[in-house]
Amino acid sequence: MDKHRRHDPRPSHSSDLVREQLTFADNTVAVALYGQNNSHLRLIERQLGLSLHARGNELSLIGSKDSVELAHRLIEQLRTMQQQGRAVTTDDVVRGLQMIRHDKDAAVSDVLRDAVVVASRSRPVIPKSVAQQRYLDAIRSEDVVFGIGPAGTGKTYLAMAMAVKALLDKQVRRIVLCRPAVEAGEKLGFLPGTMQDKVNPYLRPLYDALNDLLDMERAQILMERGQIEVAPLAFMRGRTLNDSFVILDEAQNTTSEQMKMFLTRLGYDSKAVITGDITQIDLPTRGQSGLVEAMRLLSGIVGIEFVHFTEVDVVRHPLVAAIIRAYDAREPNRRSPAAAIASALAPSETGGITSPSEIEPKSPVEP
């Protein structure tokens, strides 16, 4: 890709505009990168506030120095991914823009090229941010991984994808999925039915992720064989989980005793992934979050890794990230997720473990 840079004579309100030209190998390569009807270029224009003019295999970038630099970096990264045989999609451009705006040195092509290939899915599961790629790498290399961050950052889904892949590739003999049965800010009272009927509503998110990764019939067969088990955390006591991939979801709602109990279930040839959001603790204010305590006690232990997510990593509807930021900013003294993590890792004034009320004044229901 050839380029040259020169100043455009037309001034902007803040500084002179910068003009840069990129030249691609041929028109076919350029058109694939531009998107249908130049849709990828229009998206970059809107997000970075510059002008992109395409003529055949030549692309002109006109805007402020910063916007041109970011657009150039992103287009080069997407081009690198294209050269490695990966078609560029609109979602790639959206995620690439998020990454490059957050960190202009982000290796966008490396992140988007990573994939978790689950045999039962027609499409691989692809990380959408630098933190998500770091999370997948941690799960591949470490035996215990904590994924901590706001809703919608893919913590549980990516862990589930790695677990299903490990099971289908015969790296483990079973998957165990669990979460604490804690209500999110409202009391549901006594639920009818058997014990399984009572706990199923709390486990529904795990079933949803499982059914997205496996067709329902195959998932049912694996569950009947005991190769996939979905259960409340309370059912884990007294067990030793060998040759298993174990996932604990909503770990912010575990007590100190429950977290210790879960972590000590791990047997030989097993892997554990613990996910949670310390800004969404539903325990009574007098309770101690086992996840917050684990962050303090276990950081630095070889074989255990903590991966932190922010609203930049949200992969739900684009408005979700904006909603998270709005709730974080609704009160002057309300801490952001990053500040909550820093607070959780700092010793409290009493020398004990920070309580949920010390960490975050939260909304009752997760966004």
Side-chain angles (χ1 to χ4, degrees):
M1 186 187 296
D2 299 323
K3 65 184 179 70
H4 64 271
R5 176 178 292 179
R6 65 178 183 272
H7 285 288
D8 192 285
R10 293 170 298 176
S12 70
H13 293 294
S14 57
S15 63
D16 289 344
L17 295 176
V18 170
R19 180 187 182 95
E20 189 171 305
Q21 184 167 300
L22 307 179
T23 303
F24 302 96
D26 57 61
N27 287 2
T28 304
V29 168
V31 169
L33 189 60
Y34 298 164
Q36 187 175 12
N37 298 322
N38 291 343
S39 59
H40 296 166
L41 299 185
R42 302 289 81 83
L43 183 57
I44 294 171
E45 282 183 328
R46 289 195 303 271
Q47 293 295 316
L48 297 183
L50 77 166
S51 296
L52 301 177
H53 302 288
R55 177 177 291 181
N57 66 330
E58 294 185 345
L59 178 65
S60 297
L61 295 73
I62 305 171
S64 69
K65 181 180 177 181
D66 290 343
S67 63
V68 168
E69 181 181 5
L70 288 178
H72 183 195
R73 285 175 179 269
L74 175 61
I75 292 168
E76 279 193 332
Q77 293 274 353
L78 295 175
R79 174 66 184 126
T80 298
M81 192 171 70
Q82 191 182 49
Q83 288 174 327
Q84 294 164 342
R86 167 93 147 68
V88 176
T89 66
T90 300
D91 190 54
D92 293 331
V93 178
V94 171
R95 304 310 303 180
L97 280 164
Q98 278 193 308
M99 283 185 265
I100 212 86
R101 291 173 74 177
H102 183 67
D103 177 7
K104 67 179 182 179
D105 296 319
V108 174
S109 60
D110 290 342
V111 174
L112 297 178
R113 195 174 68 248
D114 195 0
V116 180
V117 180
V118 180
S120 59
R121 282 176 58 95
S122 57
R123 294 184 303 165
V125 177
I126 298 171
K128 304 294 186 182
S129 71
V130 174
Q132 286 194 355
Q133 186 196 30
R134 193 182 308 123
Y135 185 50
L136 291 180
D137 288 342
I139 294 173
R140 291 181 182 117
S141 61
E142 307 297 347
D143 288 335
V144 178
V145 176
F146 288 79
I148 301 168
T153 49
K155 306 181 299 294
T156 304
Y157 190 84
L158 289 174
M160 293 279 282
M162 293 292 283
V164 171
K165 176 177 171 58
L167 179 66
L168 297 182
D169 291 349
K170 302 187 185 305
Q171 296 171 5
V172 296
R173 288 192 297 108
R174 63 180 167 180
I175 298 171
V176 180
L177 311 170
C178 61
R179 61 164 18 197
V182 176
E183 296 158 344
E186 55 182 320
K187 300 300 180 183
L188 302 180
F190 293 101
L191 298 175
T194 64
M195 176 62 73
Q196 195 62 42
D197 293 332
K198 293 176 188 293
V199 299
N200 270 345
Y202 299 101
L203 305 176
R204 188 72 256 169
L206 297 177
Y207 284 113
D208 289 343
L210 185 61
N211 289 333
D212 191 57
L213 293 162
L214 290 169
D215 63 78
M216 196 170 296
E217 183 178 351
R218 189 170 191 184
Q220 190 61 39
I221 290 172
L222 291 172
M223 291 177 73
E224 290 173 356
R225 291 176 180 170
Q227 290 180 276
I228 297 179
E229 178 182 346
V230 185
L233 178 60
F235 290 9
M236 294 296 106
R237 187 174 295 280
R239 302 179 63 182
T240 300
L241 301 173
N242 293 315
D243 203 13
S244 303
F245 197 120
V246 193
I247 299 174
L248 171 59
D249 192 31
E250 297 290 328
Q252 75 275 6
N253 289 327
T254 61
T255 64
S256 174
E257 293 78 11
Q258 287 175 323
M259 179 61 76
K260 180 182 176 183
M261 180 270 291
F262 172 80
L263 291 172
T264 54
R265 300 309 94 201
L266 205 61
Y268 292 106
D269 299 317
S270 290
K271 189 180 292 287
V273 179
I274 300 96
T275 69
D277 176 3
I278 61 173
T279 69
Q280 292 288 333
I281 297 174
D282 297 303
L283 293 170
T285 55
R286 65 181 180 277
Q288 302 285 344
S289 171
L291 179 58
V292 173
E293 182 179 55
M295 290 169 63
R296 285 237 189 93
L297 297 179
L298 306 181
S299 293
I301 294 180
V302 176
I304 299 177
E305 186 158 345
F306 289 81
V307 179
H308 298 284
F309 298 85
T310 69
E311 70 276 1
V312 174
D313 306 301
V314 171
V315 292
R316 291 179 182 169
H317 191 287
L319 285 174
V320 173
I323 290 169
I324 291 172
R325 287 194 296 271
Y327 271 89
D328 286 342
R330 68 179 175 174
E331 297 174 6
N333 63 345
R334 183 179 174 83
R335 297 189 181 104
S336 67
I341 290 168
S343 173
L345 292 174
S348 65
E349 292 181 1
T350 60
I353 301 301
T354 306
S355 72
S357 59
E358 290 179 283
I359 298 166
E360 181 79 10
K362 56 173 283 302
S363 174
V365 182
E366 184 177 21

